[in-house]
Amino acid sequence: MKKIREIYITLFFVAISTFATGILHAQANPGDLKNATPEQRAQMQTGMMKSKLKLDTNQVLKVQAINLKYAHKFEPIIKGSDGRMKKMKEAMSLQKQKDAELKQVFTTEQYKQYQDFEQEMKSKMTSRLNGK
């Protein structure tokens, strides 16, 4: 049971990374997100980041490009038939790359807010899985 919980927590982390912090915050149905285009996912991610992190116009343009780039890279993972563990590894690797690029665009405070929000969402999912 503990192993299953750990897998769900890990998959949720991947979901956050893949589908964007804002989409999960809005409690969108992941099944619908699987059918979204990379452009739609990137747009949703950028909109949420713009709002949550108070990005300026220049940052929005850079973040949009990064989100779109990685939405396309995540597409084969999302739609692929590989096993969950392989998908998780690939997604985590891509997310690290994406985070490194976003870090170059965000201010120190914005990047901290971005990380805090991801951690908050991970904690919420952990609580749900533990039945709290």
Side-chain angles (χ1 to χ4, degrees), residues 30-80:
D32 293 341
L33 297 173
K34 187 174 182 177
N35 296 321
T37 66
E39 291 78 11
Q40 290 169 324
R41 286 192 299 271
Q43 176 117 12
M44 288 185 274
Q45 290 174 343
T46 303
M48 186 55 68
M49 289 177 181
K50 178 182 177 183
S51 171
K52 288 262 180 217
L53 305 176
K54 298 179 180 25
L55 303 178
D56 65 34
T57 305
N58 189 39
Q59 287 176 311
V60 170
L61 293 174
K62 290 177 181 178
V63 167
Q64 176 65 31
I66 292 168
N67 285 337
L68 184 57
K69 173 183 169 181
Y70 283 93
H72 281 288
K73 287 184 175 193
F74 275 111
E75 186 74 0
I77 297 170
I78 294 167
K79 302 230 172 156

Side-chain angles (χ1 to χ4, degrees), residues 21-37:
T21 55
I23 297 169
L24 288 175
H25 186 263
Q27 297 179 351
N29 181 353
D32 293 341
L33 297 173
K34 187 174 182 177
N35 296 321
T37 66

Side-chain angles (χ1 to χ4, degrees), residues 53 99 103 108 110-120:
L53 305 176
D99 285 349
K103 188 174 186 176
T108 303
Q110 287 170 328
Y111 191 71
K112 173 142 178 36
Q113 289 173 329
Y114 170 75
Q115 289 179 311
D116 289 347
F117 184 73
E118 282 190 338
Q119 184 59 44
E120 177 186 331

Side-chain angles (χ1 to χ4, degrees), residues 77-104:
I77 297 170
I78 294 167
K79 302 230 172 156
S81 60
D82 290 333
R84 289 180 184 168
M85 293 307 284
K86 184 174 182 187
K87 284 183 173 187
M88 178 189 66
K89 276 185 163 181
E90 291 172 357
M92 288 175 67
S93 175
L94 280 178
Q95 187 60 38
K96 284 181 183 178
Q97 294 171 27
K98 180 179 175 181
D99 285 349
E101 288 188 38
L102 289 172
K103 188 174 186 176
Q104 300 301 311

